[in-house]
Amino acid sequence: MLRAGAVVALGGATAPLTGCDLFDRADEPSPPDALEPLAAEALALEARYRAAATAAPALAARLTPIADAHRAHAEELRRVIGRPAPSGTPTPDPTRVPATEPDGVLTDLRRAEQQGRTNAAKACAAAPAERAALLGSIAAARATHVEALA
């Protein structure tokens, strides 16, 4: 009985210390959210569409609404994550020369959109229920974008 009392006393004495600020490290950054890559990808896709619209002005009316959708997705993902986007505007890969003729532009965007759709579907499958609806919606939108580019 004395041993049990000593264990309870020691356990009770150490329990409050675990919540003590002494052990909390405010200077340590919080781990990245699982949605961070998808939010970054949405911004990169937006930048890619805007660059494509500039490279092929005849497609601007067709590509701008899709770029706007990617921007909206990025903003909503950022809202869910609860952190602002990193500073700076994403740009398409500078080592890649974008196509300028409409068919080449559409082919490049279709490939990027298909990869984005795959990434969003994987994120949806791995997400907790409260995030699955948003991710499913983004995956569906990206699938629709692929069809709109055909």
Side-chain angles (χ1 to χ4, degrees), residues 2 18 35 39 44 56-57 64 76 78-79 118-119 130:
L2 287 175
T18 60
L35 296 183
T64 299
E76 185 60 17
R78 285 274 150 219
R79 186 193 67 73
T118 299
N119 294 343
E130 65 271 6

Side-chain angles (χ1 to χ4, degrees), residues 25-134:
R25 299 285 308 196
D27 57 339
E28 290 180 11
S30 56
D33 190 288
L35 296 183
E36 292 281 352
L38 205 58
E41 182 180 56
L43 288 176
L45 282 167
E46 178 202 11
R48 196 165 182 171
Y49 273 89
R50 299 225 188 267
T54 301
L59 295 174
R62 188 173 175 187
L63 301 180
T64 299
I66 299 173
D68 293 343
H70 285 298
R71 166 61 65 171
H73 293 159
E75 289 172 357
E76 185 60 17
L77 287 165
R78 285 274 150 219
R79 186 193 67 73
V80 169
I81 292 168
R83 284 186 279 212
S87 60
T89 304
T91 56
D93 181 0
T95 61
R96 200 175 115 324
V97 177
T100 55
E101 71 278 349
D103 286 341
V105 168
L106 294 175
T107 299
D108 286 349
L109 291 174
R110 248 190 324 272
R111 260 189 240 119
E113 204 65 68
Q114 287 168 337
Q115 182 61 51
R117 177 190 62 198
T118 299
N119 294 343
K122 285 179 183 177
C124 181
E130 65 271 6
R131 292 179 169 194
L134 171 62

